[in-house]
Amino acid sequence: ATMHYSYLNCDVWLTFLGLIVSMAALFFSIYYLSRFIFIKMTSKSFEYEKKFQVKVLLNRRLPSFLSFVLKELRLIFRTGEFTYNFIATYVSIPLIILLINQIFASMDLYTNGEFMVQAFNILIIMLPLLASNSMIATMYSKEGRTAYLKRTKPVIIVFPLLAKLLPNITLSVVSLIISLYIFNAHVNYIAINIVFLSMALIFIQIGHILFCALLDLMNPQNEQYATSGGQISNPNETKATLSAFIISFLVALIALGLMIEEQFKPEVNFNLAFLKLMLLGILFLVKNIYMFIAKIKAYYYDRIS
């Protein structure tokens, strides 16, 4: 048998030498860099020593309500509770509506079946939206004993109370509008009909937020949260959740009944069912606004005097 030999030529030796030099250079670089960082860290009095840098900021005087809103926004970004409980709900509702309507779009439905699908969409939109408001029924109580300081603020007491609800109202309304836009892409309502339906559900959502907030104000659990410092069995949260289920199913059933009723009436340029639903939403919102303001006056002012 013939033996074949492979000799190391000059290029191989140069490559090997370059590898050795590169490894040596990296080793000494890491050594001296880590040594420099170590010496710099040990030369400080404390590992997390603060650097006091004076920043010149303008002392701007904002309106009272805007100041309270800004404070609530800062508190929201400092805690993850709002993100986990509310943002997840507000983002998931449009996605659920999109998935459901993709399924129903592949079905051949009669007129009453289409009405039932539309009412089911309203139920799916309102149920998680209103159920998430149960957290609002604990929002003021979770402030603990600091909630009592609201009585000492020299402002209209409605400002700090409403400012705490404004982020929820804004984001839930945006989520509702997006959900109805996706819903309308499958049913193709004329513009006035989808506006009536949107306003109806928005009024109901805001009214329920005020209702849940009022539950917490009229039956505060501040001491329980102040002493326990964690989750407690809050009766206001239970009432808010129960009301969310009842209102959601009632709204869906009323919408279904009105839509079935309207199909036997002469056609007009808009759907009277959604107009009637919007009027019911206005009544629900006005009632809760009135109760919210009236009970706040009785609770925060009459007891002080």
Side-chain angles (χ1 to χ4, degrees), residues 9-16:
N9 54 29
C10 183
D11 292 338
V12 174
W13 283 108
L14 288 176
T15 303
F16 179 71

Side-chain angles (χ1 to χ4, degrees), residues 216-231:
D216 196 26
L217 289 173
M218 293 298 101
N219 185 24
Q221 308 294 315
N222 302 81
E223 289 300 321
Q224 287 82 346
Y225 281 104
T227 54
S228 66
Q231 297 293 329

Side-chain angles (χ1 to χ4, degrees), residues 42-281:
T42 55
S43 63
K44 292 185 176 181
S45 59
F46 187 65
E47 185 177 358
Y48 303 105
E49 184 180 3
K50 294 182 179 180
K51 296 180 179 179
F52 295 96
Q53 296 179 353
V54 179
K55 295 183 179 180
V56 179
L57 297 176
L58 294 176
N59 186 13
R60 295 184 300 167
R61 182 178 180 180
L62 300 175
S64 299
F65 183 71
L66 187 57
S67 298
F68 287 116
V69 172
L70 185 61
K71 185 212 58 164
E72 296 300 331
L73 289 176
R74 288 173 176 171
L75 290 176
I76 285 172
F77 288 107
R78 288 178 184 176
T79 176
E81 184 178 0
F82 182 91
T83 304
Y84 299 145
N85 293 286
F86 292 105
I87 301 297
T89 302
Y90 299 151
V91 172
S92 63
I93 293 175
L95 298 178
I96 294 173
I97 294 300
L98 178 62
L99 177 62
I100 289 175
N101 284 282
Q102 289 289 346
I103 296 173
F104 284 122
S106 61
M107 300 181 182
D108 187 13
L109 302 172
Y110 293 105
T111 303
N112 287 344
E114 292 178 356
F115 290 155
M116 293 182 67
V117 168
Q118 295 170 22
F120 183 70
N121 272 270
I122 294 174
L123 175 64
I124 295 300
I125 291 173
M126 296 305 294
L127 186 56
L129 202 62
L130 297 185
S132 67
N133 294 340
S134 61
M135 295 296 296
I136 295 175
T138 67
M139 190 171 287
Y140 299 114
S141 294
K142 284 185 177 180
E143 293 180 341
R145 295 188 180 94
T146 58
Y148 301 132
L149 296 176
K150 287 186 174 65
R151 295 189 178 189
T152 64
K153 294 177 180 178
V155 295
I156 301 174
I157 194 60
V158 177
F159 286 175
L161 297 177
L162 280 180
K164 203 166 188 66
L165 306 177
L166 192 61
N168 300 85
I169 292 175
T170 304
L171 292 178
S172 63
V173 168
V174 171
S175 175
L176 201 154
I177 292 174
I178 295 173
S179 301
L180 288 172
Y181 176 81
I182 296 173
F183 166 63
N184 191 50
H186 293 272
V187 296
N188 295 320
Y189 288 144
I190 61 175
I192 190 66
N193 287 341
I194 196 64
V195 168
F196 283 158
L197 179 60
S198 301
M199 297 307 296
L201 301 188
I202 288 172
F203 291 151
I204 293 170
Q205 164 65 2
I206 298 176
H208 190 254
I209 287 177
L210 295 177
F211 171 79
C212 294
L214 198 57
L215 286 176
D216 196 26
L217 289 173
M218 293 298 101
N219 185 24
Q221 308 294 315
N222 302 81
E223 289 300 321
Q224 287 82 346
Y225 281 104
T227 54
S228 66
Q231 297 293 329
I232 66 170
S233 180
N234 194 327
N236 301 326
E237 193 172 357
T238 304
K239 294 177 183 177
T241 304
L242 182 61
S243 67
F245 277 88
I246 294 174
I247 294 173
S248 299
F249 279 97
L250 281 177
V251 170
L253 288 175
I254 291 172
L256 177 61
L258 290 174
M259 286 187 289
I260 293 175
E261 178 187 4
E262 288 301 318
Q263 69 174 323
F264 300 108
K265 293 184 178 181
E267 292 187 2
V268 293
N269 293 330
F270 54 87
N271 195 326
L272 288 174
F274 295 145
L275 177 61
K276 293 176 182 177
L277 195 65
M278 186 184 70
L279 294 176
L280 289 175

